[in-house]
Amino acid sequence: MSSRGLWADVRLRSAWARQDWAAILREYRRVAGLSQRDLEPLVGMPQPHISAIESGRRQVTSAEVMARITEGLSVPAELTAVAVRPDLHEWGPPTELRERIAHGHSTGHTDLRTASWIGEVLAQHRRAEDEIGGRDLWPVVRSQLDAVTLLIPGTTGPAADRLMLLAAEHAHWLSWVAAQQSRRGVALAWLDVAHGWAVDGGHRDMASWVHRVRSHYSINHDGDPVRALRTAEAARHVADLSPAAESVAIHQAAVAAAAVGERDRARRLADEAFQLATRVPDEGDRPGWLYWLTPERAMLQSADAAYACRDWQAAADGLRAALPNLGGYPRDHAYYQARLEDAVRRAS
């Protein structure tokens, strides 16, 4: 695997985001399958020094040593900016990002290979956030967003639109992590940015998804199901949605409808959402941010809608059938397990 490929590893990038030099060396060796002695020629240090850094007996404080490690491990350009950009740890979207996009559609060429690489890495961040947590990955994703938006002014047409979508995906991820950290205003600000970029780039699925997430915030963080339903309806009525994007928007509308007491409507919407989800069982046929909408997850969402409608037995049966197939999502597994236990208790 190339050095660039090694740096797609989420735990390695997380170590870099923390500027934890001991973890950087350890994680790099883990991903590359190297011993400490194998690392000697890369970083220009003897094995005892490497061992001392990894064990914490020696701290990396010298700019020369930092530069030697950075160069020797071939840290990608979108990460090297993190160490000199402390503002990347700040939560809100900076004005410069908005201005950079506003003046984006010019002429020229851009490095779409770099953009594709950053997109692949973001996909890994999405999958790992549930286990690692987004806080450590925050500055990494912020630096990646900077790298994407700096590419936009050098391109035009379909290439610029593609970069707009990638920027919107990053902004949405940042919103989600901010919400997990109970930073409600910041989460909404990033959603506004994501929606603007999605609309500017002509990406209907992402524009709908941002409305869907806003609806989720309204019902789960604000306790405002009326607003949640209104926003979910806006999400599902975006024209020409893919089946997957339409499915999650309709599911959110079902949950919100149940919350305002419209249970028959909620049941109809939940059935419609499930049928749409079953049309796209293959991950390649869904937008990247909906990688998780597997047939098993569609069953869980259907059961979750039944729970919201207080159909306790149907919810318990659906959750019991689908939950064992939900692997690799400890936070979601805990959520659905709690729902299952409560539904079983209420059904009996």
Side-chain angles (χ1 to χ4, degrees), residues 15-250:
W16 178 267
R18 301 192 307 272
Q19 291 291 277
D20 184 341
W21 296 96
I24 289 169
L25 295 178
R26 284 197 304 269
E27 296 297 343
Y28 187 92
R29 289 197 304 104
R30 173 185 62 80
V31 179
L34 301 178
S35 66
Q36 290 180 344
R37 199 163 296 282
D38 293 331
L39 211 58
E40 288 182 339
L42 296 181
V43 297
M45 287 186 288
Q47 183 273 332
H49 287 188
I50 294 172
S51 176
I53 292 172
E54 290 191 8
S55 66
R57 300 192 309 275
R58 178 180 178 183
Q59 300 299 313
V60 177
T61 57
S62 164
E64 179 186 353
V65 174
M66 293 179 186
R68 196 185 309 159
I69 294 175
T70 301
E71 181 178 353
L73 301 187
S74 300
V75 181
E78 76 268 11
L79 293 184
T80 55
V82 175
V84 295
R85 287 286 307 279
D87 60 301
L88 292 176
H89 293 265
E90 296 177 1
W91 287 97
T95 302
E96 67 173 23
L97 281 180
R98 300 172 187 264
E99 293 176 346
R100 192 180 299 157
I101 298 294
H103 298 87
H105 284 270
S106 61
T107 59
H109 302 282
T110 192
D111 184 0
L112 286 180
R113 290 182 61 189
T114 297
S116 296
W117 157 253
I118 295 174
E120 292 172 11
V121 172
L122 178 62
Q124 296 199 32
H125 291 343
R126 291 193 192 102
R127 297 169 188 267
E129 188 269 331
D130 190 68
E131 296 184 19
I132 294 178
R135 193 181 186 96
D136 286 343
L137 295 175
W138 178 276
V140 178
V141 176
R142 270 296 321 277
S143 70
Q144 290 176 185
L145 177 56
D146 271 356
V148 172
T149 57
L150 283 169
L151 291 172
I152 293 176
T155 190
T156 188
D161 292 341
R162 179 179 170 190
L163 291 172
M164 286 280 198
L165 175 60
L166 186 54
E169 289 185 55
H170 278 73
H172 155 258
W173 188 94
L174 293 168
S175 170
W176 186 258
V177 173
Q180 298 300 317
Q181 299 295 322
S182 300
R183 297 178 180 270
R184 177 81 168 100
V186 171
L188 290 175
W190 279 113
L191 273 191
D192 287 342
V193 171
H195 186 261
W197 291 343
V199 171
D200 285 352
H203 300 289
R204 297 183 179 88
D205 281 357
M206 174 53 72
S208 171
W209 172 251
V210 171
H211 282 318
R212 181 266 176 200
V213 174
R214 187 183 291 274
S215 172
H216 174 82
Y217 291 169
S218 292
I219 200 169
N220 288 280
H221 300 300
D222 300 338
D224 190 344
V226 174
R227 177 177 294 178
L229 180 58
R230 186 185 307 135
T231 312
E233 286 295 331
R236 66 183 289 240
H237 286 123
V238 174
D240 299 321
L241 292 176
S242 70
E246 189 175 4
S247 173
V248 293
I250 292 175

Side-chain angles (χ1 to χ4, degrees), residues 225-303:
V226 174
R227 177 177 294 178
L229 180 58
R230 186 185 307 135
T231 312
E233 286 295 331
R236 66 183 289 240
H237 286 123
V238 174
D240 299 321
L241 292 176
S242 70
E246 189 175 4
S247 173
V248 293
I250 292 175
H251 168 74
Q252 183 62 29
V255 172
V260 299
E262 298 183 19
R263 293 177 189 167
D264 288 341
R265 179 185 179 188
R267 294 184 185 100
R268 289 195 300 272
L269 289 170
D271 288 343
E272 186 178 352
F274 180 77
Q275 292 303 320
L276 283 166
T278 59
R279 288 170 52 187
V280 282
D282 297 328
E283 183 175 339
D285 295 328
R286 303 190 293 270
W289 58 93
L290 295 180
Y291 66 90
W292 49 267
L293 190 59
T294 61
E296 293 77 19
R297 184 64 72 108
M299 291 177 61
L300 285 170
Q301 290 206 137
S302 182

